[in-house]
Amino acid sequence: MHPAYRALGCLSFYVQLALFVQCILLASAVGILASPLLRALHRKSMTNWVGACAMHILARYLLGITVKVEGAEHLLRAKETPCVLVANHQSLLDTIWLSWIFPRRAAIVANMFISRLPVLGWFIRLGGNLFVKQGDKQSIKALFEDSLRYLEYERTSIAMFPEGKRNPSETGSLLEFKKGAFYLAYCTRAPIIPVAVQCTHSLYSWADCRFRRGCVIRIRVLAPISTECLTEEDIPALIASTRNDIQKACIALSSPGAHTKYP
């Protein structure tokens, strides 16, 4: 590639990345400003949803990124009862598609370092989101106890990424799923809602200085999985089958034919 074209591509990448950061900060600011009123109305758990709505609008009109959702009707389950949402975790674009499906009463599990960031960290703390320090047993234990409280007593859904870390795979291949989200669902009898996201490497890649404008992210919400009759011995099989279902959907969404399904 000619150096001039490469330089132009890098410039476009950083401009789009700067716009993305602005969207994150603006959406966070909206959530922060709404937080006092929502707390006064005893609707603290909706702080995240308000910020998500702002991100939805900003991503669409400033970044030119839209999301096509299959199986959106399955999200209605989260309106009826607290659920555990599990999805594959790839890149910065996850904050965009997540904003399109985030339930009104839900919290997300995030890495502890995010809570220390200015503006975004303030927002996710005010929204009552949960944090975990990877490899810290005490942090993991506290996360589990807080998640139980959210699901059982505060009637708030939990969104988790069972891969445990960001996985920027070029093919959409998933990492092995960790047990936490599934054991949590087993303990609370909360339904599990799997969410599959297309491989977004062709849309965003830090290594390749690629951040496409005007793109579409395709996701598929799979049918809720009941845990009412689940036993502890069933958990490994449930993890394997859920990972397999998400992997299959991810591959289908990432295939060239999927790109022609929507205008």
Side-chain angles (χ1 to χ4, degrees), residues 234-249:
D234 295 330
I235 294 177
L238 174 62
I239 295 172
S241 63
T242 304
R243 180 186 179 278
N244 186 53
D245 290 343
I246 292 178
Q247 181 70 87
K248 285 182 178 178

Side-chain angles (χ1 to χ4, degrees), residues 162-165 167 173-179 239-240 243:
E163 288 174 286
K165 62 181 180 180
N167 173 28
S173 178
L174 304 183
L175 301 175
E176 292 301 316
F177 279 10
K178 297 185 180 298
K179 180 180 178 180
I239 295 172
R243 180 186 179 278

Side-chain angles (χ1 to χ4, degrees), residues 35-46 105:
S35 178
L37 176 60
L38 293 172
R39 284 173 178 266
L41 297 173
H42 303 290
R43 294 290 187 273
K44 173 187 172 182
S45 60
M46 287 182 61
R105 294 178 60 88

Side-chain angles (χ1 to χ4, degrees), residues 74-96:
H74 297 312
L75 294 170
L76 295 175
R77 187 65 181 275
K79 290 185 177 181
E80 302 167 359
T81 186
C83 297
V84 178
L85 283 75
V86 296
N88 51 317
H89 188 21
Q90 299 180 72
S91 69
L92 295 175
L93 297 185
D94 292 342
T95 59
I96 296 176

Side-chain angles (χ1 to χ4, degrees), residues 70-123:
E70 297 179 24
E73 66 276 7
H74 297 312
L75 294 170
L76 295 175
R77 187 65 181 275
K79 290 185 177 181
E80 302 167 359
T81 186
C83 297
V84 178
L85 283 75
V86 296
N88 51 317
H89 188 21
Q90 299 180 72
S91 69
L92 295 175
L93 297 185
D94 292 342
T95 59
I96 296 176
W97 67 256
L98 189 59
S99 70
W100 287 60
I101 67 168
F102 209 77
R104 290 197 177 215
R105 294 178 60 88
I108 190 169
V109 175
N111 196 296
M112 185 67 75
F113 87 90
I114 296 178
S115 67
R116 304 188 184 99
L117 297 176
V119 186
L120 173 60
W122 305 338
F123 162 61

